[in-house]
Amino acid sequence: MTSSPPTALITGVSGQDGMYLARRLMAEGWRVVGTVRPGLSSIARMGPYLTGVQVVDHDLLDTTGFGDLLSRFSPRAVYNLAAFSAVGASWSDPELVARTNLVAVAEMLETLLRHRDKNSSDVRFFQASSAEVFGSRVQGALDEETPHRPRTPYAVAKSAAHHLVISYREHHDLFACNGILFNHESPFRGHQFVAGRIARAAATAACGGRAPVALGDLDVERDWGAAVDHVEAMRLSLAHDRPGDYVIATGTTHTLRDMLDAAFASVGRDDAEDHVEMMPHLWSATQADSLCGDPGRARRELGWSATTSFEDLIATMVAVDVRRITTGVAESESYLS
Ligand code: NDP
């Protein structure tokens, strides 16, 4: 008799990470149920990449719906990736950000407890925390013990959710992990984020056009990794024999100038800064000049490290945008290879 595969529930499956994680888990033999926001969802855009995923509607703001999902699908693992994920835009509606990125997590943790008590079944829980929790005045490589000094509505909510996860793990013995995610990108993250905008500018230039990218400060440094690598650390966090919190980062930084140069160099150009419009107001004092993660714990305990180079990541993003521009096809599963 063959046993049925374990089920993983991913919130935000039509986001960048949800898509990559779903594909990774299915390759490992999991059945994946993924939630999308009703009505507004990016599922129409990401559909080509989600073959095999059972997609269901669920709004994080519907605090009772999560219990129904647990009863209906009996997942062995839940990855909470859905979020109000744009840091700068979080100033536009702090209350919505708090409800989406904090209150919904509190409800999930409480519901998981009730589910455990009722069904005697432990469901493992992964929370997408963020390097933004460390705030703006940081130095050196940041690890799991670095204090939080959140300075945006996004970071405040993510930090509080992070501490709730630890509280439920320590107080209720829930198998719950935080992945402290540093920036990670792919051709599928959406062009509102800076790496996507730079990739699009380079691809447009490569195709003979011009689409200048507005940037606030070229010297800002981030620890940029590849989404395809970071979701593997998420998977390993819940596959480990005990729960914990992990910095998920490459351990190296690059500036926005490096990113521009890498993007334009990947299409044989050295005129990157001619395609930039400097707009200093885009930079905010609540953002860090530099954010670098120390992924030592993830390496030691999970055996994980990032494998995609910065240059390869940026070149892939530009190459996919060139294909989008030249074919007129916005999304295609072939863009994954
Ligand atoms: P995306 O923005 O690509 O995906 C977020 C998903 O959440 C989207 O599919 C969005 O749906 C969904 N969502 C937003 N609001 C709701 C809601 N009310 N109900 C249901 N779904 C909702 O983010 P990423 O995949 O890049 O990131 C995954 C997680 O990792 C997020 O929690 C993010 O905050 C965190 N993170 C990401 C980093 C990065 O560099 N990518 C860095 C640090 C943390 P819709 O498409 O409908 O808006």
Side-chain angles (χ1 to χ4, degrees), residues 11-18 35-38 40-43 45 58-61 80-86 96 100-101 128-132 154 158 181-185 188-189 192-193 234:
T11 69
V13 79
S14 58
Q16 166 189 266
D17 293 6
T35 73
V36 296
R37 184 158 43 155
L40 294 171
S41 172
S42 46
I43 187 63
R45 184 170 77 83
H58 172 61
D59 192 324
L60 283 185
L61 303 179
N80 181 37
L81 307 186
F84 189 114
S85 65
L96 174 66
T100 311
N101 292 6
S129 185
S130 166
E132 292 292 325
Y154 171 88
K158 283 283 184 181
L181 301 164
F182 283 64
N183 290 72
H184 51 283
E185 310 292 334
F188 309 101
R189 198 180 175 209
Q192 72 272 35
F193 295 98
M234 298 177 190

Side-chain angles (χ1 to χ4, degrees), residues 2-57:
T2 54
S3 58
S4 47
T7 299
L9 178 67
I10 301 176
T11 69
V13 79
S14 58
Q16 166 189 266
D17 293 6
M19 180 274 282
Y20 276 111
L21 180 63
R23 296 179 69 92
R24 183 73 189 99
L25 288 170
M26 287 190 295
E28 288 288 318
W30 287 74
R31 167 194 183 218
V32 174
V33 176
T35 73
V36 296
R37 184 158 43 155
L40 294 171
S41 172
S42 46
I43 187 63
R45 184 170 77 83
M46 297 298 270
Y49 310 107
L50 292 172
T51 306
V53 176
Q54 183 170 353
V55 176
V56 292
D57 279 353

Side-chain angles (χ1 to χ4, degrees), residues 122-199:
D122 253 335
V123 183
R124 298 185 170 196
F125 182 76
F126 177 91
Q127 164 66 9
S129 185
S130 166
E132 292 292 325
V133 300
F134 298 123
S136 56
R137 291 162 55 194
V138 290
Q139 283 189 326
L142 312 172
D143 66 18
E144 295 80 2
E145 307 308 323
T146 304
H148 291 193
R149 292 170 51 89
R151 288 295 181 274
T152 58
Y154 171 88
V156 168
K158 283 283 184 181
S159 176
H162 177 113
H163 286 108
L164 262 186
V165 167
I166 297 173
S167 305
Y168 272 72
R169 182 171 74 225
E170 294 183 351
H171 186 75
H172 290 296
D173 205 21
L174 207 64
F175 195 114
C177 302
N178 286 298
I180 307 165
L181 301 164
F182 283 64
N183 290 72
H184 51 283
E185 310 292 334
S186 74
F188 309 101
R189 198 180 175 209
H191 289 104
Q192 72 272 35
F193 295 98
V194 68
R197 290 192 286 120
I198 288 175

